[in-house]
């Protein structure tokens, strides 16, 4: 975990994002939120089965938590949820969200309701309550 977490932290940011990502369609790349990300609505990731997405929330010295409330991640084309990584400086909390992609969090991870496709790792704990999980092969 620590090696994977550090490697994603070091990745250069391609595009800085703001807002809820509702209605946004993104191709493969490295996307960053300078600080916390509070997401709602539907985000579509469009690409091929080999394309990769990295979302970085927070940066050195700046807090960055990931929160999803009724947030859905949809894959388009032949894109795979198993090729999406969400690197989070602090905690990740998904509430009634249909979330896809691996989570690497610097604090706890929690899912309540909705669905989850991916793997979740954290430096604290991972809590899943009423959320069906479909795991990916380890990256």
């Amino acid at each position: 975990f620590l090696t994977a977490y550090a490697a994603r932290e070091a990745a250069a940011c391609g595009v800085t994002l703001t807002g809820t990502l509702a209605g946004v369609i993104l191709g493969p790349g490295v996307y960053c939120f300078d600080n916390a990300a509070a997401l709602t609505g539907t985000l579509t990731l469009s690409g091929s089965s080999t394309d990769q997405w990295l979302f970085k929330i927070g940066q050195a010295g700046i807090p960055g938590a990931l929160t999803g409330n009724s947030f859905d991640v949809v894959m388009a084309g032949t894109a795979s949820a198993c090729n999406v990584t969400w690197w989070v400086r602090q905690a990740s909390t998904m509430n009634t969200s249909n979330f896809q992609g691996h989570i690497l969090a610097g604090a706890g991870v929690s899912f309540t309701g909705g669905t989850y496709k991916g793997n979740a790792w954290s430096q604290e704990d991972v809590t899943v309550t009423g959320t069906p999980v479909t795991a990916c092969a380890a990256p």
Side-chain angles (χ1 to χ4, degrees):
F1 166 81
L2 295 176
T3 301
Y5 187 85
R8 299 327 184 274
E9 181 178 21
C13 186
V15 175
T16 299
L17 299 172
T18 59
T20 67
L21 300 186
V24 173
I25 300 171
L26 296 174
V30 179
Y31 299 94
C32 300
F33 283 86
D34 286 339
N35 46 37
L39 307 179
T40 61
T42 300
L43 167 64
T44 302
L45 303 179
S46 183
S48 74
S49 62
T50 58
D51 286 336
Q52 302 280 322
W53 288 260
L54 172 60
F55 293 89
K56 295 175 61 177
I57 294 89
Q59 56 181 304
I62 298 176
L66 171 62
T67 305
N69 289 301
S70 299
F71 176 59
D72 299 324
V73 179
V74 175
M75 308 309 291
T78 58
S80 171
C82 299
N83 293 338
V84 178
T85 302
W86 299 80
W87 178 92
V88 187
R89 177 156 303 283
Q90 293 180 307
S92 174
T93 305
M94 291 293 131
N95 298 305
T96 318
S97 295
N98 298 303
F99 193 73
Q100 299 193 59
H102 304 296
I103 297 176
L104 298 168
V109 174
S110 69
F111 296 94
T112 304
T115 62
Y116 177 50
K117 181 171 185 176
N119 300 317
W121 297 276
S122 83
Q123 293 189 44
E124 291 182 5
D125 57 354
V126 176
T127 304
V128 179
T129 306
T131 306
V133 176
T134 304
C136 296

